[in-house]
Amino acid sequence: MPRSPSSPAFWRSPLRGPWFTSVLGVVLLVGITVLFVTGLVSYAAYNPDLSPVNDQTPDKGLLGFYLFSWPTHPSWLYRLTQGVHVTLGIVLIPVLLAKLWSVVPKLFALPPARSLAHALERLSLLLLVGGGLFEFTTGVLNVQLDYIFPGSFYPLHFYGAWVFFAAFVAHAVLKMPLALRNLRHLRDETPVETSVEASVEEGELVSPDPAEPTVSRRGALGVVGGGSLLLLGTTAGRSFDGPLRETAVLAPHGGPEPGSGPGGFQINKTAAAVGIDARETSEEAWRLVVEGNGRTVRLGRAELLQLPLHSAALPIACVEGWSTSDQWWRGVRLRDLAALVGYEATAAPDVLVESLQRHGAFRRSALRDNQVRDPRSLLALFVNGEDLTPDHGYPARVIVPAAPGVLNTKWVARMTFGDL
C-alpha cells in the first residue's frame, strides 16, 4: 500500500530518535525558560500598572501581574535583560527548527490518542508547535522592524507567550522523565529503553526502514550548534559599540553607526518619520509646559538653560534588543522640574510625559516616582557636549537610567506631575 505520513516508514531519516530529540529538548527547556523570565522582566520594565499609556496589552487580567516596580539601578539593567531576551531568541531558532523536524512524525501518528495522558500530550504538542512558531516569528519581525502582522506587536507577543509557555510547561512535565532517561545514555547513539512509553516513543521517531546516514546524530547537533553560533555572531553586536556592532550584519541596528560626531549613534525613529516640523521646535515657537499641584509653568529652551544643569552617562536600550553604550547627557533633573510646581525633590511624584509627536505608540509615557527622583533622570538638552539633534529629540528629551527606550520620550512638549 502507498505510504502516508501516518506510517512510520514514511519518515526515513536515520537521525530521528529519542536521544537526538531529548538533547534538543533539554537545550530548549533551559533557553525558553530564560526567554520567558526575561520577557516578564521586559514587561515589568514598562511599569504597566502606572498608566494605561505604558501598557499596550488591554484586558490582560491576571496575566498582567508583575512583582516589583522597575528600578533605576544599575543603569544598564534593561540593556542587559532585553539584549539577552532578543539575542537568545534568535540563537535558539536553529534549535527550535531542528526540534520540530525531529518530532514531525508524532504530528501524524495514529491513532490520535491512545489514552488521556497521550491526548493531553498531543494537545500540548499542537499548542507548543503553533505557539513557538508564532512567538519566534513575531519576535524576529519586530527585531527586523517588519510589522506585517495584524495589530500591535505588544498584545500579540504578550498573549502568544502565555499560550506558548503554558503548552511548553505541560509538555515538559509530560516528557521530561523520558528525556532524562534518554540522556543517561548520552554516550550511545541509540538509548536503551524498556518501558512501554519508551517503546511507543521509539516507534514514532525511529524509522523502521531508515535511509543510509550521511551524518551522525552528533554531527547533526554540530550543524545546529554552528547555525546558532552564526546567528549569535551576526546579531549580538548591535548591543555594543565599535567594531562589534559592525558584525551584526543581520540586524537593522547593526553595521556602522548611522552618523559621526556627538549625535552619531543609533535611533529608532527620525523626526521626519513622525512628522516633527522644524518650525514647532524652533526657540521662538517651542515651550515646555510643566503642570502639577494646580500650577502651570511654561519654559522656553533659554529659560531651561538658566536652571541648574546636570550630566549623566546613560545608555539607550530598545525592546528590539539593540542598545548604545553610555552617552553623556546634560540637562535639567526631572525632580527639579517637579520642584517648579511645588514638589519637594525627595517627594517628587510620578510624571506623564507628552511629545510633540501626534501619532504612533508611546507618544506619551509615564514614569514612576522612583524614576523621577533619581538624580540621573534628566530632561536632556545636550548629548556628548552638543545640542540634541532633531532625530535625538531636539529641543528636549527625557533620559532615565534603566528605562526602555520608548519611555525616554523625545520632542517633549508637556510634563504633568502627580500620582498616576
Side-chain angles (χ1 to χ4, degrees), residues 138-152:
T138 55
V140 169
L141 289 174
N142 182 60
V143 168
Q144 296 295 327
L145 308 179
D146 292 327
Y147 300 108
I148 60 175
F149 38 78
S152 169

Side-chain angles (χ1 to χ4, degrees), residues 252-276:
H253 290 89
E257 294 289 4
S260 59
F265 56 94
Q266 299 291 322
I267 56 173
N268 215 16
K269 54 188 176 184
T270 65
V274 298
I276 301 297

Side-chain angles (χ1 to χ4, degrees), residues 384-399:
N384 298 325
E386 292 193 6
D387 288 348
L388 295 169
T389 65
D391 289 342
H392 284 300
Y394 182 88
R397 68 167 297 162
V398 166
I399 187 74

Side-chain angles (χ1 to χ4, degrees), residues 26-40 85 88 92 164-165 168-169 172:
V26 169
V27 173
L28 287 174
L29 176 65
V30 175
I32 289 177
T33 300
V34 173
L35 282 181
F36 188 71
V37 170
T38 52
L40 289 179
H85 180 76
L88 179 60
L92 286 177
F164 170 61
F165 195 72
F168 177 76
V169 170

Side-chain angles (χ1 to χ4, degrees), residues 43-279:
Y43 179 71
Y46 286 75
N47 286 318
D49 73 339
L50 180 61
S51 172
V53 302
N54 279 21
D55 193 356
Q56 303 292 307
T57 53
D59 303 321
K60 57 191 180 297
L62 293 177
L63 298 181
F65 78 94
Y66 72 108
L67 301 177
F68 56 92
S69 297
W70 191 247
T72 56
H73 295 274
S75 63
W76 41 262
L77 180 60
Y78 190 73
R79 185 183 187 192
L80 172 66
T81 59
Q82 194 62 11
V84 168
H85 180 76
V86 173
T87 303
L88 179 60
I90 292 173
V91 166
L92 286 177
I93 288 174
V95 184
L96 176 69
L97 294 178
K99 169 73 172 177
L100 294 179
W101 173 86
S102 76
V103 298
V104 160
K106 291 172 66 64
L107 297 178
F108 296 91
L110 295 176
R114 295 186 294 269
S115 65
L116 178 59
H118 184 245
L120 292 175
E121 190 262 337
R122 292 292 296 273
L123 178 61
S124 73
L125 186 63
L126 179 63
L127 294 175
L128 188 67
V129 172
L133 291 175
F134 179 83
E135 284 299 284
F136 278 81
T137 299
T138 55
V140 169
L141 289 174
N142 182 60
V143 168
Q144 296 295 327
L145 308 179
D146 292 327
Y147 300 108
I148 60 175
F149 38 78
S152 169
F153 165 77
Y154 294 93
L156 289 174
H157 203 67
F158 177 83
Y159 293 122
W162 279 108
V163 172
F164 170 61
F165 195 72
F168 177 76
V169 170
H171 189 76
V173 169
L174 291 168
K175 306 305 292 183
M176 186 52 60
L178 179 59
L180 292 177
R181 287 198 299 271
N182 287 327
L183 289 175
R184 291 192 188 104
H185 304 280
L186 191 59
R187 294 182 180 180
D188 300 327
E189 282 293 307
T190 303
V192 178
E193 297 289 354
T194 58
S195 69
V196 173
E197 182 184 4
S199 299
V200 173
E201 180 89 1
E202 187 83 11
E204 290 180 345
L205 295 180
V206 177
S207 174
D209 182 24
E212 285 295 319
T214 57
V215 64
S216 68
R217 287 173 180 166
R218 288 186 175 89
L221 289 178
V223 172
V224 174
S228 292
L229 288 175
L230 179 63
L231 289 176
L232 176 66
T234 52
T235 58
R238 65 207 167 129
S239 295
F240 304 91
D241 287 329
L244 276 178
R245 185 178 293 276
E246 298 192 20
T247 65
V249 294
L250 297 183
H253 290 89
E257 294 289 4
S260 59
F265 56 94
Q266 299 291 322
I267 56 173
N268 215 16
K269 54 188 176 184
T270 65
V274 298
I276 301 297
D277 192 323
R279 290 172 295 183

Side-chain angles (χ1 to χ4, degrees), residues 332-378:
V332 181
R333 286 174 172 166
L334 298 188
R335 67 188 191 186
D336 291 344
L337 292 171
L340 294 179
V341 288
Y343 292 101
E344 295 290 336
T346 57
D350 312 327
V351 64
L352 177 66
V353 184
E354 300 177 70
S355 174
L356 289 173
Q357 180 184 343
R358 295 174 180 82
H359 305 285
F362 295 104
R363 60 187 181 274
R364 300 190 299 159
S365 65
L367 299 172
R368 197 175 288 282
D369 55 1
N370 68 305
Q371 295 172 311
V372 174
R373 294 169 192 169
D374 192 295
R376 298 167 297 170
S377 296
L378 304 175

